[in-house]
Amino acid sequence: MLTEDLNQPQREAVMYNEGPSLIIAGAGSGKTRVLTCKVAYLLHLGLAPHQILALTFTNKAAREMRERVALMVDAEQAKRLAMGTFHSVFARILRTEANLVGLKSDYTIYDTADSKNLIKSIVKEMSLDEKIYKANLVLSRISSAKNNFIVANLYAGSEHIKQDFLMQIPRVKDIYSTYVKRCMSANAVDFDDILLLTTQLFKEHPEVLEKYQNRFQFILVDEYQDTNLVQFLLIKSLAEKNHKVCVVGDDAQSIYAFRGANIENILKFSKNYPEAKLFKLERNYRSSRNIVAAAGSLIAKNRRQIPKNIFSEKEEGDKIKILPAYSDVEEALIVSNKIGDLKNRFGYDWKDFAVLYRTNAQSRLIEDTLRKRNIPYVIYGGLSFYQRKEVKDVLAYIRLILNTDDEEAFKRIINYPTRGIGDTTISKLSSTANLHHVSLFEVASNALNYALPVNVGTAAKLKSFVTLINELKAFESTMSLYDFAREILLRSNIPQTLNEENTTESESARENIEELLNSIRLFEDMGKEEGREGIKLSDFMAEVALLTDMDLDKNVETSRVTLMTIHSAKGLEFKNVFVTGLEESLFPSIHAMENDTELEEERRLLYVAITRSEEHCFLSYAKSRYRNGSLQYPSRSRFVDDIDPRYLEFPMDRNISQSKSIDFSKRDENFFNSFSKPSLPKHLVRIGDNSKPTANNNTNLSVKEGMRIEHERFGIGTITRIDDTPDGTRIYVDFETSGSRVLLLKFTKFKIIS
């Protein structure tokens, strides 16, 4: 019997097929199992495989569902199912009906790189400023319009045009129009066109729509909370005749608004389909009772949701542990120590652990501490911090300034940001440098002497680049490490370039560069505290190189701790989950703090994070964190207080209190804000007013061995030794979580506890 292993709500959801239905599948509630059984059940009822349309968001999900169905019914039937991603299914339909939308059936599908190249060409032909009309930005604007069913000839009258004017890119409407024409003349479509053109096809050719309405007798949609307007329209039009549509999803896990997902599609399903039946899969099979109850108490604070009561019948399990830290450095240390401790105590594999964070930039300190503890890890769906493009770009500038013979650094940044020096010129530089056995920088510095075969314009561009590097080189001996790195960024124009792109990717890149600056500031401050004289940027680069090269042997240890953003973690599960950075302006993000809709999505994001865990869940936050190049003192995230305290465990022996936060109207501006357009919103930073260690000169402090101190970044420790040196008094401190440190008293930021 196909449904014998299902619980009652699952069975009811599978067996009801008389009309529209919405299956709210809570986290860990067996959603894939229900979908699979429903497809098999429909086949059992007599529907032909090609009459069942099952839409997913990933090829992996479609493949897994098809494989499971094949185990339950005839394998040949499973092969013939109309099952796949939105794009794969509707691309086939569009290819069949291509002539009706002005295409040939052998049309080409442009990938993102193709689309960007075409946009670059159009921008150039229109004599627009390529630095303002960045391909990334323009493509994201066009994509947003298409996902909202705004075709090119309607764009000028849409809300999008107002935002374009605010962003100082009013000609997007013209680029969009030309882009569409060029795609059509090339018999090409992009990914968004596949859905947009199919929607248009159904709207303008009712006979075609009716053909597919008759073919697809039953429609299933997975992850319905992630659908956008065009996907909603496609499903509604196909289901209009037979009303046999079943959508599955969880409004509590709607976290992709930035990609165009519209939570209203699932919240208003019953309004759009008045006769629809609602099924709730509320039993969580993944997590312990405490974890499920804690997550439920959190998401209950959201106003806009479909009420549900998620429960677990597994063991009660441990409470969610709150891990406060004095600093982001200590937070990373606590997390890595806790991972090692749990592995030793319970015999977990490394793969049983996941560390989740709100932004990619947060991975740096966690990576550093895991490396130092020799704990193997993998960045899921991304690169290690120091391998990210924007970080490598900045490091390449530093490398070339420190060593102008660095050929790879030269090649990486000679035309980034774009300065009109192309591959042909670089090839000529390489040939000339090889001929004379000198560096590329040497040839660029003396193009005339080496008879470099370039025109006057290119020679001037090379000279300008050489001047930039030489001028920056001169600053090294006159500035602090942080100020020098900041000057490199200012003069390189990288911040301006990323701000002008103004995309989700460029925002992540900005965060990563700010974190790189933070790491330089931290390196410099720690050098002072440890009494290291004459710290140079080359010292920092040496440490980075060591961190980068300390990759653990992949052949030795295949099981690894997983590091990822929470967005990447959706759909995954781990025995032990650490959610880091639970601080105001970080999680929730500063952009969401003044917008109720965005704040609710941030809360859903934490709900997703917590419900990834099966046995143990930890929420950590730092009392101080380097952000924007300065040490800030954030308040603990409001989301921690949203969770019913019955399901939380706070440490009893940590001298870290949570106090009220206050708003300051003046603060150090975010480094990138100095390049932001006037239309971008400004936010206040919430800073905790709790007592913190002083940063005053400690030369006259009376310290002695055995004294307990509270350090601003390393927490509580005991002074084990005191030495007087020519540089000043050095204290040896054994910190509870940060290990042993040797610090120069006059620079050390601490207060005496006992």
Side-chain angles (χ1 to χ4, degrees):
M1 186 68 179
L2 293 172
T3 61
E4 63 183 356
D5 292 330
L6 302 179
N7 64 34
Q8 187 62 29
Q10 289 174 333
R11 190 176 300 112
E12 290 174 359
V14 166
M15 297 180 71
Y16 177 77
N17 300 296
E18 302 307 311
S21 62
L22 167 61
I23 301 175
I24 295 297
S29 63
K31 179 195 68 169
T32 304
R33 188 186 205 183
V34 168
L35 271 170
T36 305
C37 285
K38 194 168 187 75
V39 172
Y41 190 75
L42 289 169
L43 291 170
H44 176 71
L45 291 178
L47 264 69
H50 69 271
Q51 293 178 314
I52 302 171
L53 173 63
L55 298 168
T56 67
F57 272 84
T58 65
N59 288 310
K60 179 184 175 185
R63 186 169 56 251
E64 182 182 351
M65 202 185 307
R66 193 185 296 274
E67 288 171 354
R68 289 199 189 187
V69 171
L71 295 174
M72 303 177 75
V73 299
D74 180 63
E76 285 303 311
Q77 280 189 306
K79 287 180 184 178
R80 297 198 303 273
L81 286 165
M83 182 182 288
T85 64
F86 275 88
H87 289 94
S88 65
V89 168
F90 290 109
R92 289 196 294 271
I93 292 175
L94 194 62
R95 208 171 284 283
T96 303
E97 315 294 342
N99 64 304
L100 295 177
V101 293
L103 292 167
K104 298 174 185 175
S105 61
D106 60 347
Y107 65 76
T108 300
I109 299 177
Y110 279 175
D111 62 16
T112 304
D114 295 324
S115 295
K116 286 180 184 177
N117 288 334
L118 177 54
I119 287 170
K120 286 177 184 176
S121 298
I122 294 169
V123 167
K124 193 171 183 179
E125 290 162 13
M126 289 183 170
S127 300
L128 298 173
D129 190 336
E130 295 175 32
K131 293 181 179 178
I132 295 175
Y133 289 89
K134 290 281 187 182
N136 270 343
L137 174 58
V138 174
L139 184 59
S140 72
R141 299 297 296 150
I142 292 173
S143 177
S144 175
K146 289 180 177 179
N147 288 335
N148 284 283
F149 199 43
I150 301 170
V151 294
N153 62 341
L154 297 179
Y155 190 87
S158 71
E159 288 294 315
H160 275 60
I161 199 73
K162 296 178 183 177
Q163 194 171 353
D164 289 347
F165 273 93
L166 287 172
M167 296 168 71
Q168 300 177 21
I169 48 173
R171 296 290 302 279
V172 168
K173 66 182 192 316
D174 303 314
I175 300 171
Y176 184 9
S177 180
T178 304
Y179 174 78
V180 170
K181 291 173 184 173
R182 293 280 284 275
C183 283
M184 294 300 284
S185 62
N187 193 38
V189 299
D190 62 23
F191 291 119
D192 296 319
D193 285 328
I194 292 170
L195 304 186
L196 178 71
L197 291 174
T198 309
T199 307
Q200 278 186 289
L201 171 72
F202 289 164
K203 185 179 180 183
E204 296 170 4
H205 298 275
E207 74 285 358
V208 175
L209 173 60
E210 187 176 14
K211 178 173 77 172
Y212 289 101
Q213 286 174 335
N214 291 334
R215 176 181 299 180
F216 300 130
Q217 294 291 307
F218 204 100
I219 302 166
L220 293 106
V221 186
D222 189 17
E223 303 287 6
Y224 190 67
Q225 78 280 350
D226 294 335
T227 54
N228 59 34
L229 177 60
V230 170
Q231 290 162 330
F232 165 79
L233 292 172
L234 281 169
I235 297 160
K236 197 167 193 315
S237 58
L238 282 172
E240 203 164 14
K241 183 175 181 181
N242 298 312
H243 293 257
K244 300 290 183 69
V245 57
C246 172
V247 302
V248 184
D250 183 7
D251 57 295
Q253 297 186 69
S254 179
I255 59 172
Y256 294 123
F258 68 95
R259 292 183 189 167
N262 187 353
I263 192 174
E264 296 299 323
N265 292 348
I266 194 166
L267 293 179
K268 294 182 177 178
F269 184 84
S270 296
K271 183 178 180 182
N272 292 316
Y273 300 88
E275 73 276 37
K277 287 202 69 171
L278 174 64
F279 299 93
K280 297 180 183 179
L281 309 184
E282 297 174 305
R283 180 178 175 182
N284 181 302
Y285 288 88
R286 175 189 302 150
S287 309
S288 67
R289 295 205 301 273
N290 266 320
I291 290 172
V292 171
S297 68
L298 168 73
I299 203 63
K301 299 297 189 297
N302 273 10
R303 293 180 180 178
R304 297 169 63 255
Q305 62 172 304
I306 297 171
K308 59 189 78 68
N309 179 32
I310 307 299
F311 66 94
S312 170
E313 293 185 359
K314 295 184 73 176
E315 67 282 355
E316 183 177 7
D318 290 347
K319 293 182 178 181
I320 290 180
K321 292 183 172 60
I322 306 300
L323 304 178
Y326 285 90
S327 65
D328 46 357
V329 171
E330 197 198 30
E331 178 189 41
L333 286 164
I334 289 172
V335 168
S336 60
N337 288 343
K338 185 67 72 174
I339 289 172
D341 179 54
L342 284 171
K343 185 180 189 300
N344 291 334
R345 284 172 57 201
F346 299 106
Y348 289 120
D349 287 330
W350 294 123
K351 66 183 178 183
D352 294 329
F353 297 91
V355 182
L356 310 182
Y357 33 79
R358 178 65 183 82
T359 65
N360 276 305
Q362 290 169 253
S363 78
R364 182 189 65 83
L365 284 169
I366 298 164
E367 288 185 63
D368 290 353
T369 56
L370 291 175
R371 281 194 188 101
K372 286 170 183 175
R373 284 209 51 168
N374 206 34
I375 294 176
Y377 70 89
V378 61
I379 304 285
Y380 182 93
L383 295 169
S384 176
F385 181 82
Y386 292 108
Q387 295 300 319
R388 291 167 191 160
K389 179 190 178 299
E390 58 277 4
V391 174
K392 293 186 79 171
D393 288 337
V394 177
L395 293 177
Y397 268 95
I398 297 173
R399 283 168 52 189
L400 190 63
I401 291 163
L402 298 176
N403 172 22
T404 53
D405 291 337
D406 190 328
E407 181 176 328
E408 293 307 312
F410 181 95
K411 288 179 179 177
R412 187 175 188 93
I413 64 171
I414 183 64
N415 199 41
Y416 182 77
T418 305
R419 50 176 62 90
I421 300 172
D423 292 341
T424 302
T425 301
I426 296 171
S427 179
K428 290 175 181 178
L429 281 165
S430 296
S431 299
T432 306
N434 291 335
L435 180 65
H436 295 280
H437 304 289
V438 294
S439 69
L440 297 175
F441 189 83
E442 169 65 19
V443 175
S445 303
N446 300 281
L448 189 61
N449 292 348
Y450 288 103
L452 184 68
V454 294
N455 60 35
V456 175
T458 301
K461 291 169 185 172
L462 289 171
K463 183 179 180 181
S464 176
F465 175 72
V466 167
T467 301
L468 168 67
I469 298 301
N470 285 332
E471 287 178 351
L472 286 170
K473 201 173 182 68
F475 285 130
E476 185 185 7
S477 59
T478 64
M479 290 182 167
S480 68
L481 266 63
Y482 173 76
D483 288 339
F484 182 37
R486 194 174 184 276
E487 189 67 23
I488 292 170
L489 276 168
L490 284 166
R491 299 285 293 272
S492 71
N493 287 332
I494 291 176
Q496 296 96 315
T497 300
L498 293 174
N499 276 337
E500 286 160 3
E501 288 182 9
N502 198 26
T503 61
T504 303
E505 292 78 12
S506 65
E507 183 177 352
S508 178
R510 289 197 300 267
E511 291 169 348
N512 288 333
I513 290 176
E514 285 182 345
E515 181 59 23
L516 179 62
L517 285 176
N518 293 338
S519 69
I520 292 171
R521 170 77 88 182
L522 176 61
F523 181 81
E524 185 173 28
D525 287 353
M526 286 309 305
K528 287 180 182 177
E529 284 204 38
E530 292 169 1
R532 284 183 276 147
E533 295 294 332
I535 307 169
K536 296 181 179 179
L537 208 49
S538 55
D539 298 319
F540 172 79
M541 293 298 290
E543 180 163 294
V544 168
L546 286 172
L547 286 172
T548 305
D549 292 339
M550 277 176 63
D551 276 343
L552 297 151
D553 187 346
K554 293 181 180 180
N555 296 320
V556 173
E557 182 67 74
T558 56
S559 177
R560 292 166 177 258
V561 174
T562 302
L563 274 56
M564 69 175 88
T565 63
I566 302 169
H567 282 102
S568 300
K570 187 171 175 291
L572 303 177
E573 56 188 46
F574 302 89
K575 286 187 170 63
N576 309 289
V577 170
F578 293 80
V579 190
T580 59
L582 267 294
E583 298 141 33
E584 292 289 285
S585 83
L586 181 57
F587 196 4
S589 74
I590 195 167
H591 301 294
M593 288 169 63
E594 295 174 8
N595 183 304
D596 288 344
T597 300
E598 292 184 21
L599 194 62
E600 289 206 347
E601 175 147 332
E602 291 282 297
R603 191 178 281 111
R604 292 195 294 269
L605 194 59
L606 180 56
Y607 175 83
V608 167
I610 292 172
T611 55
R612 298 311 93 200
S613 50
E614 299 174 14
E615 297 176 11
H616 298 101
C617 183
F618 302 84
L619 307 181
S620 67
Y621 65 92
K623 215 177 143 185
S624 67
R625 184 179 297 273
Y626 268 105
R627 298 192 73 186
N628 314 324
S630 62
L631 194 59
Q632 296 183 4
Y633 301 90
S635 298
R636 186 177 72 201
S637 171
R638 67 190 73 188
F639 294 155
V640 175
D641 299 311
D642 283 344
I643 301 172
D644 190 322
R646 289 180 297 170
Y647 310 118
L648 300 178
E649 180 181 313
F650 290 86
M652 301 300 294
D653 58 345
R654 297 284 291 169
N655 188 24
I656 300 182
S657 62
Q658 172 64 19
S659 59
K660 237 180 187 174
S661 63
I662 56 175
D663 287 341
F664 288 89
S665 59
K666 293 183 180 179
R667 67 174 177 91
D668 290 337
E669 285 296 314
N670 177 307
F671 174 65
F672 281 85
N673 280 352
S674 55
F675 307 101
S676 299
K677 296 183 174 65
S679 61
L680 295 179
K682 301 288 183 181
H683 296 275
L684 301 177
V685 167
R686 295 161 65 88
I687 303 177
D689 63 351
N690 39 331
S691 172
K692 56 181 181 287
T694 62
N696 298 329
N697 190 307
N698 294 322
T699 307
N700 298 320
L701 276 178
S702 176
V703 294
K704 58 185 179 181
E705 292 181 13
M707 184 175 279
R708 299 263 292 166
I709 66 170
E710 181 185 349
H711 188 274
E712 187 175 48
R713 311 250 329 134
F714 300 129
I716 294 174
T718 304
I719 298 175
T720 58
R721 178 178 159 191
I722 302 171
D723 283 344
D724 288 323
T725 72
D727 296 327
T729 303
R730 291 178 184 268
I731 58 173
Y732 295 72
V733 187
D734 186 9
F735 289 103
E736 291 178 356
T737 58
S738 307
S740 298
R741 302 269 175 174
V742 182
L743 306 173
L744 202 57
L745 182 62
K746 62 184 177 183
F747 290 122
T748 302
K749 303 170 185 178
F750 70 88
K751 66 182 179 184
I752 297 170
I753 297 176
S754 61

